[in-house]
Every structure is written in structure tokens, then in C-alpha cells.
Amino acid sequence: MSPLSVLSAIRQVADLGTADILLWVVLPYVSLAVFVLGHIWRYRYDKFGWTTRSSELYENRLLRLGSPLFHFGILVVFLGHVGGLLVPKSWTEAVGIGQETYHVLAVALGVVAGVATLAGAAILVYRRRTVGPVFSATTRNDKAMYVLLVGTIVLGLGTTVLGNLTETPHDYRETVSPWFRSIFAFQPEPGLMAEATLGFQLHAIAALALFAFWPFSRLVHVFSMPLGYLTRPYIVYRSRDTTLGTTVPRRGWERTP
């Protein structure tokens, strides 16, 4: 970091209030630290709890509808956030994607993905509340997770929809996106986020709270991958029946006494 950038950061911080520093500098780093260290702790000390605690055995009709809808929507939302937050505006313009084209595509995909995610979440929440065995297996941790997750989705979708109903929607790639990148570059620019609209600020705070809660909820299953299935040995099944049908076994496959 150059001396000029340090002086610029100091001036920017000096012009902001304590609340802005806490919200847009301290809170993001606390949330990221809890997210990373929490997952390490959970994996070391609660491996058997690293699960979704599937309730498919209790009910699967609503689950077959809500789960794919939610996971499809949340995947598109995630990819949209990766593109919108990590890809600078100058890059998309350099490849010929103008602001208007980008805005139309982002809004269209964002609304469709947000509605799908919210609809899937609504079905899953309804299922947990109305199906007795599923409701009995729902913990306080699950309820808190649903509140944070659905709240973050509603704030994000509401900001997108309401913002575009106005004639001059807020360009988050001028404020939220560079602020987000500055956090990971360890050169935080809280003034950018302080200029964003209230909807984006609430959405960011809810997302940071969700990330801090993530390692201690069933959401850890996102980082689970059954790689062991690729290298596990074959499972040998042996029958106690004296005869295995009318077909004569091939040579070398005869039953041993």
C-alpha cells in the first residue's frame, strides 16, 4: 500500500462517523473471521454434526417441490452476486456489455432467481411448520437460520424490485461492489457503502449476520462433497440362501462351502 493510499484512507475514515466505521469496516472483518474460524472449529470438534439433518423420511412430496426450486434459485443468486460484486464495471464495458444491457440482464435474472428462491424457501418453511415430525425435528438453531436466510433474500429482492420501480435506480457497481472488493484487498473504503441506499445497506448487514451464523447451522453442508465415494472399495454382498436362483454360475463364481 502506497503512502498516498494510506493518507487517502485516513482522510476518508476521519470524515465518517463511528457507526459507519463499525458497520462497513469492523463488522465485515468480524463476520469473515467468524465464518472462517467457525468452520474450522466445527470441522474439528463436530464432524458428526456436519450434516443437513435430512427430514426426507418424514415427508417428501413438498420437499421434492421446494428443495429443487430453492437450490436452483440460490445458485443463480450466488452466481449473480459473484459477477456483480467481483467483476468491475470497467471489465464488462471493455468486452462490449454496456450499462443498460448489463442492468436489464442483471435485473431480469435477479428477479427470476430471487422469486424462485423465495418461493422454494416458503414451501420449505410451510413444510416444517405443518408436517408434525418435521416440525418436531426443527431446532431453535434452524428457526434462527431460516429467519436470517429468508430475511436476507427478502431484503435483496425488495431492493432490486423497488429500486427499479424508480426512474433512477441506484448503481450498486459504483458503491457496493468496490466496497466489497476493498474489504478483501485489505484497503476498506467505508465511504462507498455509506453512500449506498438504505436497502443495500440493510441487505449487506443481513448478509454479514448470516455469514457469521453460517458455521453454527446446517448451512455447513454447502461445503460438503462426497469425494470418498470415488475411491471407496466395492461393497461385497453375501447371501445366506443355499441356492441363488436357477442360473448356473459362471466359472470362478461358484459358491464356496
Side-chain angles (χ1 to χ4, degrees):
M1 184 184 297
S2 66
L4 290 178
S5 62
V6 173
L7 290 175
S8 178
I10 293 174
R11 290 196 188 101
Q12 187 182 105
V13 169
D15 294 336
L16 295 173
T18 304
D20 290 324
I21 302 301
L22 291 175
L23 288 175
W24 314 127
V25 178
V26 177
L27 181 60
Y29 285 117
V30 170
S31 177
L32 288 173
V34 174
F35 182 84
V36 174
L37 297 177
H39 278 91
I40 296 174
W41 173 86
R42 181 81 180 269
Y43 185 78
R44 288 192 61 183
Y45 298 103
D46 189 28
K47 286 185 179 181
F48 290 105
W50 193 290
T51 174
T52 60
R53 297 196 305 276
S54 175
S55 58
E56 184 178 0
L57 291 175
Y58 302 135
E59 194 278 340
N60 59 16
R61 183 177 61 86
L62 291 173
L63 187 64
R64 285 201 304 266
L65 176 62
S67 183
L69 192 61
F70 172 79
H71 285 88
F72 164 77
I74 205 67
L75 178 61
V76 177
V77 168
F78 171 76
L79 295 177
H81 277 68
V82 169
L85 295 176
L86 297 182
V87 179
K89 188 176 182 179
S90 58
W91 291 15
T92 55
E93 292 178 345
V95 297
I97 302 177
Q99 173 61 18
E100 184 176 352
T101 302
Y102 177 89
H103 179 72
V104 171
L105 290 174
V107 171
L109 289 176
V111 170
V112 171
V115 170
T117 305
L118 195 58
I123 294 173
L124 295 177
V125 171
Y126 172 80
R127 171 179 175 270
R128 285 202 166 270
R129 186 62 186 86
T130 58
V131 179
V134 180
F135 181 71
S136 299
T138 303
T139 64
R140 293 181 179 178
N141 184 289
D142 296 331
K143 296 175 183 178
M145 182 270 295
Y146 274 110
V147 169
L148 286 174
L149 183 61
V150 174
T152 304
I153 296 170
V154 169
L155 286 171
L157 182 60
T159 300
T160 300
V161 173
L162 295 177
N164 286 277
L165 290 177
T166 62
E167 295 181 358
T168 56
H170 181 74
D171 187 1
Y172 66 89
R173 292 204 293 168
E174 296 286 351
T175 55
V176 181
S177 298
W179 165 78
F180 183 82
R181 294 193 295 271
S182 74
I183 294 297
F184 289 93
F186 296 101
Q187 298 180 10
E189 300 182 32
L192 294 173
M193 197 62 194
E195 296 175 1
T197 60
L198 180 62
F200 282 105
Q201 292 178 346
L202 293 176
H203 180 53
I205 293 173
L208 292 173
L210 177 63
F211 288 144
F213 186 73
W214 194 299
F216 314 105
S217 69
R218 65 171 60 203
L219 293 175
V220 293
H221 78 277
V222 172
F223 302 105
S224 301
M225 187 174 296
L227 296 178
Y229 284 109
L230 300 176
T231 57
R232 70 176 184 175
Y234 291 107
I235 300 176
V236 179
Y237 293 94
R238 299 185 183 276
S239 175
R240 294 183 179 181
D241 296 338
T242 55
T243 58
L244 299 179
T246 58
T247 304
V248 178
R250 290 181 299 166
R251 181 179 179 183
W253 289 85
E254 299 88 348
R255 174 182 290 276
T256 57

